[in-house]
Amino acid sequence: MCIYIVFNLVLLLLVSVKKMTDCQADGEGANSPMELYEKLNAQGEKVRSLKTAKAEKAEIDAAVQLLLKLKVDYKQMTGNDYKAGCPPSENVVMSDNGPAADGADDEDTVDPWNVATSNAKGVDYDKLIVRFGSSKIDQELVDRIEKFSGQRPHRFLRRGIFFSHRDMHQVLDAYEKSKSFYLYTGRGPSSEAMHVGHLIPFIFTKWLQDVFDIPLVIQLTDDEKYLWKDLTLEECRRFAVENAKDIIACGFDVNKTFIFSDLDYMGASPEFYRNVVKIQKHVTFNQVKGIFGFTDSDCIGKISFPAIQAAPSFSNSFPQIFGGKKDIQCLIPCAIDQDPYFRMTRDVAPRIGYPKPALLHSTFFPALQGAQTKMSASDANSSIFLTDTPKQIKNKVNKHAFSGGKDTVEEHRKYGGNADVDVSFMYLTFFLEDDEQLEKIKQDYTSGALLTGELKKILIETLQPMIAQHQERRKQVTDEMVQQFMTPRPLNFNF
Ligand SMILES: *[C@@H]1O[C@H](CO)[C@@H](O)[C@H](O)[C@H]1NC(C)=O
Ligand SMILES: *[C@@H]1O[C@H](CO)[C@@H](O)[C@H](O)[C@H]1NC(C)=O
């Protein structure tokens, strides 16, 4: 989990990239406000890249002329001024030929297989809380976490990146009465390549482990990847080990952390497998089909997979760690698109005599191209990867990070930029620790004092050392260490 089945997204990305290219060649003939809006976005991007590349003046002038003409057309068609990041209507999801578009639906699409929104600011998370029936992580909850952990809340909590929860208050109530809990998170290892977005749940889980001093289990769903992707079992197993190294490099405490590959652990732990079949027995085909959108041609393995992702939510799946106790509370930090798995898990839990796992949900990490999409591990330009060199980071941010800035320096100085849709600014909210500095950047960008190039430079200088340090730590991770983390064994905790 926490990597996503992305074929649809990749398609969406390809579709939108193609459309952009189309419209750069031709400014005429937009049929809808959305089409015109996309042409404007593309043309603005073109003007910016020509300027960055210090192209011929005549070429830049021609591109600016076309941009201005499109703005006039847009005003005529919609009655409003074109504004980057504000599409003409929320209804027009990814326009007409994306696979996720079904016309009348103005809701964001969020499930383990699809994430789609028409809004450049990203998914409407308040609406999602209502739709999913979870609870908002409000200031009161953040304050309680601070009180019980004794630590300043992590920036992901201070900034609403972890924004939604299920039953976190109950977890803290019990913790207050000296009843502790364990953490469970995971990853679907579909390739060796992990990007910075994949680190979000792990960075946060590491913080929770440290401040609450609790055990953690990390599931690598190599079996799921085998079922869904065109990969051999050996490849899936190898990706699991490679990904485990990146996970270990996040700094988890070996004495408190168990990382397991399903392909290995399922066969080694009868207790785990018993929970899998118990769950399977209590979930109907329609339940999983409804939640996960399986089709009639899906193989049986795919359909029973959700039970395997549910099983680590129950402490007796890990007898070496919890000595067979079945009632230790589980807390799952994950991205919100994983919630359907755990809604099902929570549904089943009381029927098989187990406590429901609690959840902390994060927002999505945006693709460099903008918050309408999640990143795709198969598009190197959609994200910053953990293997990127300083130079690659610089080029990707400069060339591909969607900008909320104005098209010309003059306009930008006069009207300011839009930090809400600016991907460089969004990335800084994830990774820049200093709240005051972040706020100042936002103000300066909004006022026009800070230019897009300067904002990108701050991001580049934040990411370069962060990625370099990760690579350095990963180099220190030996095969023996991986082996240690992946061996079922007692963990060191004090419940
Ligand atoms: C883990 O436990 C062993 C044995 O008690 C100890 O030697 C080692 O320092 C511990 N490692 C960490 C990272 O705390
Ligand atoms: C990524 O972007 C670079 C230039 O910005 C381009 O040369 C390369 O072809 C792109 N790669 C993909 C997979 O689109």
Side-chain angles (χ1 to χ4, degrees):
M1 67 180 215
C2 295
I3 187 182
Y4 316 95
I5 303 293
V6 287
F7 354 103
N8 284 345
L9 256 171
V10 173
L11 265 173
L12 280 176
L13 255 161
L14 288 178
V15 167
S16 48
V17 167
K18 177 165 180 312
K19 292 182 82 167
M20 287 242 214
T21 329
D22 286 348
C23 53
Q24 279 175 357
D26 170 23
E28 299 295 326
N31 296 318
S32 68
M34 192 62 189
E35 235 179 283
L36 194 49
Y37 171 80
E38 288 187 352
K39 285 190 183 190
L40 268 158
N41 282 345
Q43 191 61 25
E45 202 59 52
K46 182 171 178 185
V47 169
R48 279 191 289 275
S49 63
L50 285 174
K51 287 184 177 169
T52 311
K54 303 220 183 334
E56 298 275 355
K57 184 170 180 308
E59 197 184 351
I60 298 179
D61 285 347
V64 170
Q65 281 311 313
L66 179 54
L67 182 68
L68 294 175
K69 178 181 175 306
L70 288 170
K71 284 186 178 176
V72 172
D73 291 350
Y74 186 85
K75 174 115 195 192
Q76 265 175 6
M77 188 185 278
T78 65
N80 295 312
D81 283 321
Y82 163 80
K83 228 174 135 211
C86 302
S89 155
E90 286 217 346
N91 274 343
V92 199
V93 178
M94 287 295 177
S95 198
D96 45 13
N97 44 0
D102 50 2
D105 184 8
D106 76 332
E107 305 237 280
D108 299 325
T109 305
V110 177
D111 61 42
W113 330 113
N114 283 296
V115 178
T117 176
S118 57
N119 192 333
K121 293 181 192 174
V123 170
D124 184 332
Y125 290 107
D126 284 331
K127 267 196 202 163
L128 208 56
I129 286 174
V130 173
R131 237 171 77 208
F132 279 16
S134 61
S135 308
K136 193 177 169 78
I137 296 183
D138 53 14
Q139 193 55 44
E140 186 203 346
L141 182 54
V142 175
D143 290 344
R144 280 194 88 196
I145 293 173
E146 175 166 17
K147 181 178 155 204
F148 291 120
S149 67
Q151 301 286 326
R152 178 167 193 234
H154 193 273
R155 60 178 186 277
F156 292 171
L157 283 171
R158 304 200 300 271
R159 298 178 191 160
I161 287 168
F162 274 79
F163 72 102
S164 155
H165 75 101
R166 294 184 188 277
D167 288 351
M168 189 59 195
H169 279 293
Q170 282 95 308
V171 170
L172 294 175
D173 290 346
Y175 190 79
E176 190 170 18
K177 295 178 191 130
S178 308
K179 211 162 166 268
S180 204
F181 58 98
Y182 74 101
L183 297 164
Y184 157 36
T185 191
R187 164 165 169 76
S190 57
S191 75
E192 276 173 76
M194 285 175 69
H195 53 60
V196 283
H198 292 136
L199 290 186
I200 304 304
F202 294 110
I203 292 171
F204 190 59
T205 301
K206 148 99 175 110
W207 182 80
L208 289 169
Q209 175 178 62
D210 287 351
V211 303
F212 286 104
D213 189 23
I214 43 178
L216 159 68
V217 297
I218 299 175
Q219 181 179 47
L220 301 173
T221 54
D222 44 6
D223 53 345
E224 181 212 16
K225 292 304 153 192
Y226 174 70
L227 291 166
W228 283 92
K229 303 232 158 188
D230 189 17
L231 295 167
T232 65
L233 278 170
E234 290 67 33
E235 284 169 326
C236 293
R237 173 77 180 86
R238 187 167 59 80
F239 292 155
V241 170
E242 289 306 312
N243 286 187
K245 289 184 181 170
D246 280 303
I247 293 169
I248 291 167
C250 292
F252 292 106
D253 182 341
V254 67
N255 293 331
K256 296 184 166 57
T257 307
F258 174 44
I259 303 177
F260 63 100
S261 124
D262 286 342
L263 289 174
D264 286 359
Y265 188 62
M266 284 272 283
S269 171
E271 295 81 0
F272 190 97
Y273 185 60
R274 280 176 196 157
N275 276 338
V276 171
V277 288
K278 268 193 194 175
I279 297 158
Q280 283 172 342
K281 182 165 175 166
H282 290 81
V283 179
T284 66
F285 174 67
N286 273 336
Q287 254 177 320
V288 283
K289 189 177 171 180
I291 297 177
F292 300 102
F294 294 117
T295 65
D296 290 342
S297 61
D298 278 325
C299 66
I300 203 87
K302 285 186 189 176
I303 290 155
S304 50
F305 178 76
I308 301 174
Q309 189 162 321
S313 314
F314 307 127
S315 57
N316 63 352
S317 292
F318 305 99
Q320 296 89 349
I321 303 174
F322 301 111
K325 284 191 194 149
K326 64 171 192 175
D327 58 352
I328 299 177
Q329 176 67 50
C330 175
L331 173 65
I332 305 170
C334 62
I336 184 79
D337 65 336
Q338 297 295 304
D339 190 62
Y341 281 108
F342 302 115
R343 284 206 295 273
M344 181 213 79
T345 309
R346 287 167 53 87
D347 216 33
V348 172
R351 285 188 263 150
I352 55 178
Y354 298 149
K356 293 181 180 186
L359 287 143
L360 295 171
H361 299 123
S362 71
T363 61
F364 301 116
F365 191 76
L368 281 172
Q369 283 74 9
Q372 288 98 330
T373 53
K374 259 197 335 185
M375 288 177 300
S376 157
S378 47
D379 176 2
N381 287 335
S382 75
S383 183
I384 304 297
F385 283 74
L386 300 179
T387 47
D388 282 349
T389 63
K391 192 161 167 234
Q392 283 173 318
I393 294 171
K394 183 173 170 203
N395 284 338
K396 282 191 193 180
V397 171
N398 280 334
K399 290 200 180 118
H400 301 289
F402 182 80
S403 168
K406 293 292 182 287
D407 298 325
T408 66
V409 171
E410 298 70 41
E411 276 186 68
H412 189 88
R413 291 278 187 228
K414 192 164 169 199
Y415 302 109
N418 183 354
D420 289 340
V421 302
D422 190 285
V423 170
S424 300
F425 184 76
M426 290 181 201
Y427 278 28
L428 285 172
T429 64
F430 281 86
F431 297 120
L432 189 71
E433 177 60 26
D434 188 327
D435 290 346
E436 278 176 30
Q437 194 190 350
L438 188 70
E439 184 52 37
K440 171 122 175 53
I441 290 168
K442 182 166 189 173
Q443 282 173 9
D444 289 350
Y445 194 59
T446 310
S447 76
L450 189 71
L451 297 174
T452 294
E454 294 165 336
L455 175 63
K456 288 191 170 189
K457 186 157 179 282
I458 299 171
L459 175 64
I460 291 163
E461 287 169 359
T462 304
L463 289 175
Q464 282 173 335
M466 186 185 109
I467 299 294
Q469 282 157 20
H470 179 89
Q471 290 167 358
E472 195 45 47
R473 285 193 306 268
R474 192 187 193 279
K475 253 193 265 168
Q476 316 288 325
V477 178
T478 61
D479 290 338
E480 291 72 47
M481 285 164 76
V482 174
Q483 186 61 40
Q484 240 184 320
F485 271 96
M486 297 186 77
T487 302
R489 66 211 185 289
L491 296 181
N492 181 11
F493 58 91
N494 227 336
F495 276 8

